[in-house]
Amino acid sequence: MQPGEQSDRSNTPDKGILHSSKAKYVTSLYQRLLALIDIETAETGEKFSYPTEALIPHTALRQQLLSDPATCALLSGCDYIIAPENLENSPYQINSDGLILISSALLDDVHALACATRWALEARYLQESNDPKHSTLIGLKVMAAELIGMLPEKSREALFEVVPPKHATDFLSSTDDSVSDGALRWLSSIMGWPYVAITPEENEDRELFFPLETILARGGDSRLIVDPVTKLNRYGVPLRPRPEAVHFSSSTASPISEYGFLFCDTLRRDLLSEHQRTDTSLEKLREKASHAVGTEILKVLGLQPEEADTALTPSGTDAELLTVLISSVAASGKPVLNILIAPEETGRGVRFAATGCYFDDLTPTGEHVLRGSPALNDQTITTQEISIRNGRGLPRTLSDIDAEVLETGQRALKEGHHLLVHVLMSSKTGLSAPSHQAVDSLVALGPDRVNVVVDACQMRTPLVHLGQLVRKGWMLQITGSKFLTGPPFSGALIVPKTFLNQASAVGNALQNTVGIGHRSDWTQAWKENMPAQDKPSAGFGPIFRWLPALLEAELFSSLTLDFRKRAFDRFKQELVHVISRSMYIKTLNSDQVDDSESNDNFLRLSIISFEILARKRNGHIQVLNETECRRLYECLNSDVSDIIPNLSPRERSLARLEIHVGQPVTLHSQRNSICVLRLVLGARFFTFVGLGTEKMRQAALQSEINDAKSAIAKIELLVKNWIALEDNDSSA
C-alpha cells in the first residue's frame, strides 16, 4: 500500500470536506504553525471535519447552506448545531443552550442565508471564547458589515427585512466605528451576551475581524481587486472556493480550495482569540505568523532555518523588486546590471520590477504610485534581456543561451557593473535557462560582484532541488499561487545566510521606500538584525494567501513519485489524444533539455500550451491573435449559453460550464507573434487524485480527465461559433 492510500475495506465515513487521509496532514501542518506562532489552543484533531448532517438536521436549511462554497467549507470545521426559527427582527439568534437559530425567512435566498449564518458563527465563536467585559461587539459589527457588503443587492434587501430598520444603516459600512449604542445593544441581545458599554480605542486594528475573503484581498495590488459584477479578479478567480468551475489554470491563478478556506479561517479565529485573550498586539502576531509561514516554506524546500531566511512578498513580482533592492545594497554604489531571462514568459510587471520601478499603480500597503516610476531612491539599475526562443518562436538551445549570458556578464563586469543574474526555472510555457554550469562560470569571475537569483515562481521544479540551489548561495524567488494552487497572489524570497550581514543595510533601504517590504515580512534572524520601521506593513493578506499553498505542498509531498508520474502520464496521454483529433487546437513545441538530474522533471511538462484556430467570417479557419485569445479565455470562464444561437441541449450545458485555463501568453519572434493558451496541472490535481482509497483515486483521476475533455470541447464549441461571439461583442 502506497503512502496516502487506504484499504477499500475501510468503512470510516467521510465526515466533512476532508477525507481522513487528508485530514491528518492538514492537522499536522496546523499544529506546527501554532507551535511556531506560540499559540495555545484546544486539540486540533477535530477542527477540520464535522458531520454536517448531525449539525444541521433540517434538510432544506442544510442543502441551502452547503450550496454556498464558502459557508460549506466553514461548516465542515464547525461543531455548533444550527436550526431554522421564525425570527422577524433578527437574522439569527443564539439561545441559552448555544444553539444557533437562523431566520427561516431567509431560506429562499441562499446568499442572504449564508451571510446570516456566517455572521452567527462568528458571534458564537466570540461568545464561546471571550468574556463580555472584553467585548468585541464592534469587531462583530465590522465582520457583519463586510459580509453584507458582499451580497447582491436583492439578497441585501432580503437580509435587511429581518434587521430592525433603525439599526440597518449601522451595517452599511465596516469602517465607521460610530455605530449606535442601540445597534450594539441589539447585537448583544441576539448573541446572548449581557451588554457592556464599549469605549473603542482610536485607530484600533480590526483586520482579523474581517471575513476571510477581505483578508485574502488585502496587502496586494490592483490585480486582487474583484469586479463587483463577476466577483472575479483580473486573473479570473474569486476570493472564495469555486467548486462549480473547472480549473486548469495553475500557471496563472487558482481559487482557494474549500479545505484551504477552512484552514485559513481556523487560524484567523485562533489568532483573534490569542489577541483578545493575551492582549498581544496584531503587529506582534503578524510577525510571529510571518516567521511561522517562512519557516514552513524552508521546510518545504528541504532547508533548515540555519541555512536560509525567508521574506514573504505579496506576489512573485514583488519578490523581484525586493531582490533588486538587496542586490543594490550589495553593489555598494556600483551600477547594477540585471540579466533577465525571457520576461515575456515570467510576468507582465517583471520588466518594471527588474529595473527597480513600480509595476502597478497601487502598492501592497495602499499607496497610489505611478506605474513605471522609480521605487528605489538613487539607484542605477539597467537590464539586459535574454530571449529563450529563436526567431521562429521555438526554444533556443541552452548552449546558445549560456553563451549570450556569459558574454553579457563578462562585458558588464569589465565595465564596472555589479551583476544580478537570473536563472529561470520553468517559464509560463515550461522552458528553463541558463544552465547552472554557465552561471557558476560567471560567478567565478567575480564572486563579490555577482548575485544570482533563481526565478522558480512557477514551482515546477523538484522542491528539494530548489533548496539545493539556495545552498549554492543563490537567492530564490517562489510563489504559492502557481503550481501549489494557493490563492493569488503570494510570493517569497529565500535568501542564503551569507546575506544576513546585510540585513541592517537592507532594513534601512526598506525604510526609505514606499510599499516594497517591511521588517515584519522576514523570518526571525533578519528581524533581529533590522532596525525598527515606522512604515505600514502589508498586513495578514500575504500570510494567509500562503497557507493553502503550504497545505497543498504538505499533501503533495505525501504522495510517492511513482504515483505522481503514473497519474500525470495517464492524464496527458488522454488529453494529447483528444487534442490530436482537433482541427482547432495546435500544441506548441516546448521541447528542451533540462540540466537537472531529478526524475521529477515531468512537472515542467505539466503546462500544455496551444494555439487556437477559429472559423472566421470569411469562412477560413485562422489562428487567433492576442486580443481574440483574451476574448476566448474570458468566454471559457463564463456562461455563454445566451450568446451562441441554436445550441443543442448538450451544447447548452457545455456553454454554461465555467472553465478557467492559463491566461494567454504572447511569444514574440523575429517573424511574428504567437499567442497561446495553456491547460495546466497543479499540485491540487495530484492531491485530489492521490489521497483516498484505490477506488476513490480511480474516480478522481477519471473526473479530472473528463474535465479536461470538457475544456477542449468548450474551446471547440466557441471557435466553431466565433462569428456569433464577434457579433455579440460588436452589439454590446
mmCIF file of all heavy atoms in Angstrom, residues 156-182:
data_model
loop_
_atom_site.group_PDB
_atom_site.id
_atom_site.type_symbol
_atom_site.label_atom_id
_atom_site.label_comp_id
_atom_site.label_asym_id
_atom_site.label_seq_id
_atom_site.Cartn_x
_atom_site.Cartn_y
_atom_site.Cartn_z
ATOM 1 N N ARG A 156 -29.202 41.560 -0.199
ATOM 2 C CA ARG A 156 -29.022 42.520 0.893
ATOM 3 C C ARG A 156 -30.385 43.015 1.378
ATOM 4 O O ARG A 156 -30.632 43.139 2.589
ATOM 5 C CB ARG A 156 -28.162 43.693 0.425
ATOM 6 C CG ARG A 156 -27.737 44.627 1.548
ATOM 7 C CD ARG A 156 -26.864 45.758 1.046
ATOM 8 N NE ARG A 156 -25.718 45.246 0.329
ATOM 9 C CZ ARG A 156 -25.377 45.582 -0.917
ATOM 10 N NH1 ARG A 156 -26.119 46.462 -1.579
ATOM 11 N NH2 ARG A 156 -24.328 45.072 -1.496
ATOM 12 N N GLU A 157 -31.281 43.259 0.428
ATOM 13 C CA GLU A 157 -32.633 43.686 0.797
ATOM 14 C C GLU A 157 -33.345 42.596 1.586
ATOM 15 O O GLU A 157 -34.059 42.885 2.564
ATOM 16 C CB GLU A 157 -33.424 44.041 -0.469
ATOM 17 C CG GLU A 157 -32.912 45.289 -1.181
ATOM 18 C CD GLU A 157 -33.601 45.520 -2.514
ATOM 19 O OE1 GLU A 157 -34.421 44.662 -2.911
ATOM 20 O OE2 GLU A 157 -33.329 46.555 -3.153
ATOM 21 N N ALA A 158 -33.164 41.338 1.182
ATOM 22 C CA ALA A 158 -33.800 40.224 1.895
ATOM 23 C C ALA A 158 -33.275 40.132 3.325
ATOM 24 O O ALA A 158 -34.045 39.891 4.265
ATOM 25 C CB ALA A 158 -33.545 38.914 1.143
ATOM 26 N N LEU A 159 -31.975 40.337 3.518
ATOM 27 C CA LEU A 159 -31.401 40.277 4.862
ATOM 28 C C LEU A 159 -31.922 41.408 5.731
ATOM 29 O O LEU A 159 -32.276 41.210 6.907
ATOM 30 C CB LEU A 159 -29.876 40.325 4.787
ATOM 31 C CG LEU A 159 -29.175 40.180 6.134
ATOM 32 C CD1 LEU A 159 -29.200 38.722 6.596
ATOM 33 C CD2 LEU A 159 -27.741 40.665 6.073
ATOM 34 N N PHE A 160 -32.008 42.608 5.151
ATOM 35 C CA PHE A 160 -32.455 43.756 5.938
ATOM 36 C C PHE A 160 -33.947 43.685 6.288
ATOM 37 O O PHE A 160 -34.421 44.449 7.131
ATOM 38 C CB PHE A 160 -32.135 45.059 5.211
ATOM 39 C CG PHE A 160 -30.707 45.512 5.374
ATOM 40 C CD1 PHE A 160 -30.044 46.165 4.355
ATOM 41 C CD2 PHE A 160 -30.030 45.278 6.562
ATOM 42 C CE1 PHE A 160 -28.728 46.582 4.500
ATOM 43 C CE2 PHE A 160 -28.713 45.692 6.724
ATOM 44 C CZ PHE A 160 -28.061 46.335 5.693
ATOM 45 N N GLU A 161 -34.675 42.754 5.658
ATOM 46 C CA GLU A 161 -36.068 42.543 6.042
ATOM 47 C C GLU A 161 -36.177 42.010 7.466
ATOM 48 O O GLU A 161 -37.213 42.158 8.117
ATOM 49 C CB GLU A 161 -36.738 41.564 5.068
ATOM 50 C CG GLU A 161 -37.082 42.151 3.710
ATOM 51 C CD GLU A 161 -38.205 43.165 3.782
ATOM 52 O OE1 GLU A 161 -39.161 42.945 4.559
ATOM 53 O OE2 GLU A 161 -38.121 44.200 3.095
ATOM 54 N N VAL A 162 -35.108 41.352 7.948
ATOM 55 C CA VAL A 162 -35.135 40.794 9.304
ATOM 56 C C VAL A 162 -34.157 41.519 10.230
ATOM 57 O O VAL A 162 -33.778 40.995 11.275
ATOM 58 C CB VAL A 162 -34.854 39.273 9.293
ATOM 59 C CG1 VAL A 162 -36.014 38.524 8.669
ATOM 60 C CG2 VAL A 162 -33.552 38.964 8.563
ATOM 61 N N VAL A 163 -33.720 42.710 9.832
ATOM 62 C CA VAL A 163 -32.918 43.593 10.686
ATOM 63 C C VAL A 163 -33.787 44.804 11.022
ATOM 64 O O VAL A 163 -34.369 45.408 10.125
ATOM 65 C CB VAL A 163 -31.622 44.050 9.982
ATOM 66 C CG1 VAL A 163 -30.887 45.081 10.817
ATOM 67 C CG2 VAL A 163 -30.719 42.860 9.696
ATOM 68 N N PRO A 164 -33.922 45.153 12.287
ATOM 69 C CA PRO A 164 -34.732 46.329 12.631
ATOM 70 C C PRO A 164 -34.295 47.549 11.825
ATOM 71 O O PRO A 164 -33.094 47.859 11.775
ATOM 72 C CB PRO A 164 -34.453 46.514 14.133
ATOM 73 C CG PRO A 164 -34.103 45.140 14.618
ATOM 74 C CD PRO A 164 -33.361 44.498 13.483
ATOM 75 N N PRO A 165 -35.222 48.222 11.144
ATOM 76 C CA PRO A 165 -34.861 49.356 10.268
ATOM 77 C C PRO A 165 -33.984 50.404 10.949
ATOM 78 O O PRO A 165 -33.099 50.986 10.317
ATOM 79 C CB PRO A 165 -36.227 49.931 9.873
ATOM 80 C CG PRO A 165 -37.171 48.775 9.990
ATOM 81 C CD PRO A 165 -36.673 47.960 11.144
ATOM 82 N N LYS A 166 -34.212 50.644 12.240
ATOM 83 C CA LYS A 166 -33.437 51.682 12.928
ATOM 84 C C LYS A 166 -31.966 51.301 13.090
ATOM 85 O O LYS A 166 -31.131 52.157 13.388
ATOM 86 C CB LYS A 166 -34.052 51.983 14.291
ATOM 87 C CG LYS A 166 -34.073 50.787 15.243
ATOM 88 C CD LYS A 166 -34.756 51.154 16.557
ATOM 89 C CE LYS A 166 -34.834 49.955 17.491
ATOM 90 N NZ LYS A 166 -35.509 50.303 18.765
ATOM 91 N N HIS A 167 -31.647 49.999 12.899
ATOM 92 C CA HIS A 167 -30.260 49.558 13.041
ATOM 93 C C HIS A 167 -29.588 49.263 11.695
ATOM 94 O O HIS A 167 -28.372 49.080 11.640
ATOM 95 C CB HIS A 167 -30.191 48.298 13.900
ATOM 96 C CG HIS A 167 -30.726 48.470 15.282
ATOM 97 N ND1 HIS A 167 -30.545 49.628 16.015
ATOM 98 C CD2 HIS A 167 -31.447 47.625 16.072
ATOM 99 C CE1 HIS A 167 -31.125 49.498 17.199
ATOM 100 N NE2 HIS A 167 -31.686 48.302 17.258
ATOM 101 N N ALA A 168 -30.370 49.209 10.632
ATOM 102 C CA ALA A 168 -29.832 48.753 9.345
ATOM 103 C C ALA A 168 -28.661 49.597 8.859
ATOM 104 O O ALA A 168 -27.661 49.074 8.359
ATOM 105 C CB ALA A 168 -30.941 48.727 8.295
ATOM 106 N N THR A 169 -28.771 50.930 9.014
ATOM 107 C CA THR A 169 -27.706 51.798 8.492
ATOM 108 C C THR A 169 -26.376 51.577 9.201
ATOM 109 O O THR A 169 -25.321 51.899 8.666
ATOM 110 C CB THR A 169 -28.104 53.281 8.629
ATOM 111 O OG1 THR A 169 -28.448 53.551 9.992
ATOM 112 C CG2 THR A 169 -29.301 53.593 7.729
ATOM 113 N N ASP A 170 -26.418 51.031 10.426
ATOM 114 C CA ASP A 170 -25.176 50.770 11.160
ATOM 115 C C ASP A 170 -24.341 49.677 10.493
ATOM 116 O O ASP A 170 -23.151 49.544 10.796
ATOM 117 C CB ASP A 170 -25.487 50.356 12.599
ATOM 118 C CG ASP A 170 -25.977 51.517 13.445
ATOM 119 O OD1 ASP A 170 -25.143 52.375 13.792
ATOM 120 O OD2 ASP A 170 -27.184 51.571 13.738
ATOM 121 N N PHE A 171 -24.974 48.898 9.603
ATOM 122 C CA PHE A 171 -24.276 47.766 8.994
ATOM 123 C C PHE A 171 -24.002 47.982 7.510
ATOM 124 O O PHE A 171 -23.775 47.040 6.765
ATOM 125 C CB PHE A 171 -25.095 46.488 9.211
ATOM 126 C CG PHE A 171 -25.214 46.115 10.657
ATOM 127 C CD1 PHE A 171 -26.301 46.534 11.406
ATOM 128 C CD2 PHE A 171 -24.214 45.385 11.286
ATOM 129 C CE1 PHE A 171 -26.405 46.221 12.748
ATOM 130 C CE2 PHE A 171 -24.309 45.067 12.633
ATOM 131 C CZ PHE A 171 -25.403 45.482 13.368
ATOM 132 N N LEU A 172 -24.001 49.241 7.101
ATOM 133 C CA LEU A 172 -23.701 49.556 5.704
ATOM 134 C C LEU A 172 -22.239 49.900 5.481
ATOM 135 O O LEU A 172 -21.793 50.020 4.360
ATOM 136 C CB LEU A 172 -24.585 50.715 5.222
ATOM 137 C CG LEU A 172 -26.082 50.398 5.119
ATOM 138 C CD1 LEU A 172 -26.865 51.645 4.728
ATOM 139 C CD2 LEU A 172 -26.317 49.274 4.111
ATOM 140 N N SER A 173 -21.484 50.084 6.570
ATOM 141 C CA SER A 173 -20.065 50.417 6.450
ATOM 142 C C SER A 173 -19.284 49.662 7.511
ATOM 143 O O SER A 173 -19.690 49.601 8.671
ATOM 144 C CB SER A 173 -19.836 51.922 6.621
ATOM 145 O OG SER A 173 -18.449 52.203 6.716
ATOM 146 N N SER A 174 -18.162 49.090 7.101
ATOM 147 C CA SER A 174 -17.320 48.364 8.054
ATOM 148 C C SER A 174 -16.232 49.252 8.644
ATOM 149 O O SER A 174 -15.512 48.833 9.548
ATOM 150 C CB SER A 174 -16.671 47.158 7.370
ATOM 151 O OG SER A 174 -15.807 47.596 6.333
ATOM 152 N N THR A 175 -16.105 50.479 8.141
ATOM 153 C CA THR A 175 -15.014 51.351 8.596
ATOM 154 C C THR A 175 -15.471 52.391 9.604
ATOM 155 O O THR A 175 -14.660 53.000 10.282
ATOM 156 C CB THR A 175 -14.379 52.078 7.400
ATOM 157 O OG1 THR A 175 -15.387 52.821 6.707
ATOM 158 C CG2 THR A 175 -13.757 51.069 6.437
ATOM 159 N N ASP A 176 -16.773 52.642 9.706
ATOM 160 C CA ASP A 176 -17.296 53.670 10.601
ATOM 161 C C ASP A 176 -17.515 53.071 11.988
ATOM 162 O O ASP A 176 -18.379 52.223 12.195
ATOM 163 C CB ASP A 176 -18.614 54.219 10.050
ATOM 164 C CG ASP A 176 -19.164 55.348 10.908
ATOM 165 O OD1 ASP A 176 -18.449 55.786 11.819
ATOM 166 O OD2 ASP A 176 -20.297 55.767 10.647
ATOM 167 N N ASP A 177 -16.736 53.519 12.961
ATOM 168 C CA ASP A 177 -16.854 52.995 14.320
ATOM 169 C C ASP A 177 -17.964 53.689 15.118
ATOM 170 O O ASP A 177 -18.209 53.330 16.269
ATOM 171 C CB ASP A 177 -15.530 53.154 15.068
ATOM 172 C CG ASP A 177 -14.492 52.157 14.583
ATOM 173 O OD1 ASP A 177 -14.893 51.170 13.946
ATOM 174 O OD2 ASP A 177 -13.301 52.380 14.850
ATOM 175 N N SER A 178 -18.598 54.683 14.540
ATOM 176 C CA SER A 178 -19.631 55.408 15.279
ATOM 177 C C SER A 178 -20.964 54.665 15.218
ATOM 178 O O SER A 178 -22.006 55.245 14.968
ATOM 179 C CB SER A 178 -19.785 56.825 14.711
ATOM 180 O OG SER A 178 -20.165 56.770 13.345
ATOM 181 N N VAL A 179 -20.923 53.360 15.433
ATOM 182 C CA VAL A 179 -22.133 52.557 15.467
ATOM 183 C C VAL A 179 -22.947 52.956 16.688
ATOM 184 O O VAL A 179 -22.404 53.251 17.759
ATOM 185 C CB VAL A 179 -21.781 51.052 15.493
ATOM 186 C CG1 VAL A 179 -20.883 50.725 16.659
ATOM 187 C CG2 VAL A 179 -23.028 50.194 15.511
ATOM 188 N N SER A 180 -24.253 52.989 16.522
ATOM 189 C CA SER A 180 -25.111 53.480 17.595
ATOM 190 C C SER A 180 -25.122 52.530 18.788
ATOM 191 O O SER A 180 -24.926 51.322 18.649
ATOM 192 C CB SER A 180 -26.546 53.665 17.075
ATOM 193 O OG SER A 180 -27.131 52.402 16.790
ATOM 194 N N ASP A 181 -25.374 53.109 19.940
ATOM 195 C CA ASP A 181 -25.467 52.307 21.155
ATOM 196 C C ASP A 181 -26.613 51.308 21.044
ATOM 197 O O ASP A 181 -26.511 50.165 21.500
ATOM 198 C CB ASP A 181 -25.676 53.227 22.356
ATOM 199 C CG ASP A 181 -25.686 52.466 23.675
ATOM 200 O OD1 ASP A 181 -24.605 52.031 24.111
ATOM 201 O OD2 ASP A 181 -26.780 52.318 24.260
ATOM 202 N N GLY A 182 -27.692 51.731 20.388
ATOM 203 C CA GLY A 182 -28.836 50.837 20.217
ATOM 204 C C GLY A 182 -28.499 49.624 19.371
ATOM 205 O O GLY A 182 -28.945 48.506 19.662
#
